[in-house]
Amino acid sequence: MARGSKGRKGAGAKAAKTGSAAGKGPAGRGAQTRMVHGGVLRSQFRETAEAIFLTSGYVYDSAEEAEAAFANTRPRFVYSRFSNPTVQMFETRMAQLEGAEAARATASGMAAVFASLMCQLKAGDRVVSSDALFGSCQYILAEILPRFGIETELVDGRDLAAWRRALARPTAAVFLETPSNPGLRIVDLAAVCALARKAGASIVVDNVFATPLLQRPLAFGADVVVYSATKHIDGQGRTLGGVVLGTGKFVADKLQPFLRHTGPALSPMNAWLLLKGLETLELRLERQCRMAKTVAEFLAAHPKVETALYPGLKSHPQHRLAMKQMKSGGSLVSLTLKGGKAAAFRFLNALELVLISNNLGDAKSLVTHPATTTHQRLTPEARAQQGITDGMVRLSLGLEDLADIEADLARALKAV
Ligand SMILES: *Cc1c(COP(=O)(O)O)cnc(C)c1O
């Protein structure tokens, strides 16, 4: 027990005993069962729903107990910047779902990405990353890390020869996102992990678009997986959150000290919302993926659409690779309209049910124009390199009736 409390019964006893270290989860039960029961720390009141421990600190029965807690000879909750029962329930449940030894939660997905890299890098290190990344991840790699003497090289994530060239030199870390936001480009996880391992690199995968249910980077050789829990895990537009998963050793030696002393802690209230999100993740995602596939087929056949990208469609240039490493194509579709930015804006403005918002994975279907929002900061050349055209629109499918969404899309396309 790394940081737990004592005297718990049932699922809580197991969680408390193993801390965030979860392996296959409670008695090897199924993923859905783990998402409902995993990590529960039930209090003396035997509440059904997870308790929200809105407390910054904890009290000690004696000065000796406080001394032992700080020396970590008697592990217990000490201060909510580094551990909190509600946050720990979320971390344990995520670790069980991912099949990771340990997890730590953060206040946002970007805090998770930043911590996953900064906790293990130092001046003089070299990082190789795929170039098609979420805008803020790209900023960390291209702008922040070099300021601290860390060399970063961005490669086309689809190009194994480019990875091989970049990883011919010793490398401390590899960072990648697959499918990428918003171009839905796929990185060959098994092949890149093998190359990275030979270069001595620790492999960090941003798995937001796939979610823990559709793709398991650890099974392909990744060392660390990061999520913006803001997306499908909450999935109801209520809170920001992030999580980093890896081995117990990585978390204890690298991640936990970094988080403890820099403080991007997840609020217990938000951890509770994310616990509730996990309970329904599978139901929501299955419905969203079904809607995304049908909508992608509809869009691909539409005369005003130049291309409709969806990893689950045969027309996606990396469809076979996507299906080799993902259970389904996911809940996002990227389409390119004939007529560039003007056509894209007319389309967005004509939608009534699908809302213009840069969030994704939500219960509400959302649409965004990446070139002028999430990827506005990039030069036109960098956008072109990532396949982000002025006519590209990213669609995140929600939980509405399929017929209503299709009707809204068809009507908006007519207005283009
Ligand atoms: C949204 C997102 C992030 C950042 O997460 P926040 O919770 O918004 O900080 C990182 N990576 C990807 C792929 C994302 O979509």
Side-chain angles (χ1 to χ4, degrees):
M1 180 178 80
R3 308 176 304 147
S5 44
K6 48 196 169 179
R8 310 294 185 191
K9 292 210 180 88
K14 189 151 276 164
K17 236 180 267 157
T18 53
S20 286
K24 279 173 70 191
R29 293 195 174 104
Q32 185 55 50
T33 304
R34 295 199 292 270
M35 282 190 284
V36 174
H37 293 281
V40 170
L41 297 171
R42 198 157 269 131
S43 84
Q44 72 271 31
F45 299 117
R46 317 307 296 149
E47 63 281 352
T48 313
E50 298 74 5
I52 307 171
F53 290 94
L54 274 177
T55 181
S56 44
Y58 307 85
V59 296
Y60 308 93
D61 291 336
S62 66
E64 287 77 10
E65 196 186 338
E67 182 185 32
F70 271 78
N72 214 26
T73 53
R74 215 186 310 163
R76 46 157 287 164
F77 294 104
V78 170
Y79 191 55
S80 287
R81 172 156 33 81
F82 29 107
S83 60
N84 171 281
T86 314
V87 175
Q88 187 179 309
M89 286 190 249
F90 172 62
E91 293 168 343
T92 305
R93 193 170 292 181
M94 277 301 304
Q96 290 178 353
L97 176 58
E98 191 73 34
E101 285 176 11
R104 286 295 178 272
T106 54
S108 72
M110 285 323 303
V113 169
F114 189 59
S116 73
L117 292 168
M118 271 318 237
C119 79
Q120 56 173 325
L121 293 172
K122 59 180 187 316
D125 277 347
R126 170 182 157 75
V127 180
V128 177
S129 168
S130 53
D131 61 359
L133 298 175
F134 180 69
S136 296
C137 298
Q138 208 269 346
Y139 186 83
I140 289 177
L141 269 303
E143 308 285 338
I144 299 181
L145 295 185
R147 270 199 256 144
F148 294 87
I150 296 162
E151 180 195 334
T152 61
E153 181 175 348
L154 301 176
V155 299
D156 184 332
R158 300 166 300 179
D159 183 353
L160 278 180
W163 282 109
R164 198 171 291 116
R165 273 195 304 278
L167 293 170
R169 283 201 279 145
T171 302
V174 158
F175 185 82
L176 64 92
E177 181 183 314
T178 181
S180 70
N181 179 3
L184 302 176
R185 291 184 173 175
I186 310 295
V187 177
D188 187 331
L189 282 169
V192 172
C193 287
L195 289 170
R197 193 152 308 286
K198 256 196 257 163
S202 155
I203 305 140
V204 182
V205 177
D206 181 336
N207 204 37
V208 167
F209 266 45
T211 82
L213 294 179
L214 301 186
Q215 177 171 275
R216 291 201 51 241
L218 297 179
F220 293 96
D223 299 293
V224 178
V225 183
V226 293
Y227 291 101
S228 163
T230 316
K231 311 296 167 55
H232 304 82
I233 292 172
D234 172 48
Q236 287 146 92
R238 305 168 297 188
T239 179
L240 296 176
V243 58
V244 185
L245 302 110
T247 63
K249 187 171 161 46
F250 166 77
V251 170
D253 296 351
K254 302 261 165 66
L255 183 65
Q256 174 70 10
F258 183 86
L259 294 176
R260 173 175 177 147
H261 300 296
T262 59
L266 180 67
S267 150
M269 182 70 216
N270 294 346
W272 183 83
L273 287 164
L274 297 172
L275 278 163
K276 293 294 118 183
L278 283 178
E279 291 183 350
T280 58
L281 176 62
E282 187 178 46
L283 286 171
R284 288 183 285 109
L285 190 69
E286 194 191 318
R287 190 181 164 88
Q288 288 171 331
C289 291
R290 225 182 313 128
M291 176 129 85
K293 183 154 194 239
T294 311
V295 162
E297 280 162 354
F298 159 75
L299 291 170
H302 198 284
K304 288 190 179 167
V305 175
E306 201 170 278
T307 51
L309 272 178
Y310 181 67
L313 286 193
K314 285 209 178 70
S315 55
H316 188 289
Q318 297 171 284
H319 170 70
R320 285 186 52 173
L321 174 60
M323 292 304 98
K324 201 178 95 186
Q325 55 193 38
M326 295 172 72
K327 282 210 186 96
S328 93
S331 71
L332 289 118
V333 180
S334 285
L335 60 143
T336 299
L337 290 159
K338 293 173 183 165
K341 179 182 169 184
F345 272 35
R346 265 199 300 279
F347 175 65
L348 259 64
N349 291 335
L351 287 164
E352 285 172 6
L353 193 54
V354 180
L355 304 171
I356 302 173
S357 172
N358 44 279
N359 196 7
L360 61 94
D362 199 89
K364 294 176 172 63
S365 290
L366 304 175
V367 70
T368 192
H369 183 249
T372 54
T373 60
T374 50
H375 293 70
Q376 183 187 123
R377 205 187 48 78
L378 295 181
T379 61
E381 294 74 36
R383 274 200 295 275
Q385 202 183 327
Q386 292 194 31
I388 304 168
T389 61
D390 287 347
M392 181 184 265
V393 166
R394 190 195 74 195
L395 192 57
S396 168
L397 282 313
L399 301 175
E400 301 92 339
D401 285 290
L402 171 64
D404 290 336
I405 294 298
E406 267 194 358
D408 199 37
L409 293 169
R411 211 185 24 71
L413 282 169
K414 210 174 277 174
V416 172

